[in-house]
């Protein structure tokens, strides 16, 4: 139990790195790569890199905190963009995917608005990363 307690901030940081990585992978798999959409992929990948570097180079804590702050701001900007785009489609704040009653498939010509709060995942993970950095002892060495 003391092993986990001693390394808990680093374990949380590794979990955050994996979560950012999975978010980047999901965005790539869903084709979130056109125009400004690529920023979500890049911010997710940057978050994963920052989290990994924070585990193995803990001396640069302030730099990693600034990096998480920037990633978190990308999440807020993405949320604003999602809200704007959701408001433009069918005049609704958020339009769920429409399905054809007979076939259960998305109707022709109908495109669902983006989920307006989805980019806040970046902001939440970045905030958690900042908290994990704050919780870590200043003298803490590398994982091991």
């Amino acid at each position: 139990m003391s092993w986990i307690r001693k390394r808990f901030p680093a374990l949380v940081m590794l979990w955050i790195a994996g979560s950012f990585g999975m978010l980047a992978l999901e965005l790539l798999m869903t084709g979130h790569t056109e125009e400004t959409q690529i920023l979500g992929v890049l911010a997710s990948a940057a978050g994963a890199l920052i989290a990994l570097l924070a585990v193995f180079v803990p001396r640069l804590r302030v730099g990693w905190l600034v990096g998480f702050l920037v990633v978190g701001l990308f999440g807020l900007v993405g949320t604003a963009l999602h809200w704007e785009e959701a408001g433009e489609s069918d005049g609704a704040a958020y339009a769920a995917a429409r399905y054809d009653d007979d076939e259960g498939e998305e109707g022709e010509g109908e495109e669902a608005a983006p989920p307006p709060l989805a980019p806040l995942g970046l902001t939440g993970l970045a905030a958690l990363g900042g908290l994990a950095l704050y919780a870590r002892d200043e003298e803490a060495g590398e994982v091991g």
Side-chain angles (χ1 to χ4, degrees):
M1 185 63 113
S2 67
W3 185 89
I4 290 176
R5 193 169 295 162
K6 179 180 177 184
R7 291 166 181 81
F8 189 72
L11 293 172
V12 169
M13 196 62 71
L14 289 172
W15 189 268
I16 292 167
S19 297
F20 272 124
M22 292 303 292
L23 181 55
L25 181 63
E26 176 193 8
L27 291 172
L28 286 172
M29 290 175 63
T30 58
H32 203 277
T33 57
E34 297 176 12
E35 298 174 8
T36 58
Q37 290 180 341
I38 194 71
L39 295 176
V41 177
L42 296 174
S44 299
L49 182 63
I50 291 166
L52 284 175
L53 289 172
V55 171
F56 296 107
V57 188
R59 291 177 297 259
L60 301 177
R61 181 192 306 214
V62 174
W64 307 139
L65 283 171
V66 170
F68 279 136
L69 177 64
V70 170
V71 169
L73 289 174
F74 271 96
L76 294 175
V77 168
T79 300
L81 291 173
H82 274 224
W83 271 102
E84 182 180 311
E85 192 172 328
E88 292 173 1
S89 67
D90 295 333
Y94 175 62
R98 297 186 183 115
Y99 292 93
D100 189 30
D101 291 336
D102 298 333
E103 299 174 17
E105 295 179 11
E106 194 171 322
E108 289 183 35
E110 297 175 356
E111 188 175 319
L117 300 179
L120 287 180
L122 278 172
T123 305
L125 281 174
L128 186 59
L131 287 173
L133 280 172
Y134 183 75
R136 193 168 192 176
D137 291 336
E138 296 222 13
E139 293 83 31
E142 298 175 6
V143 174

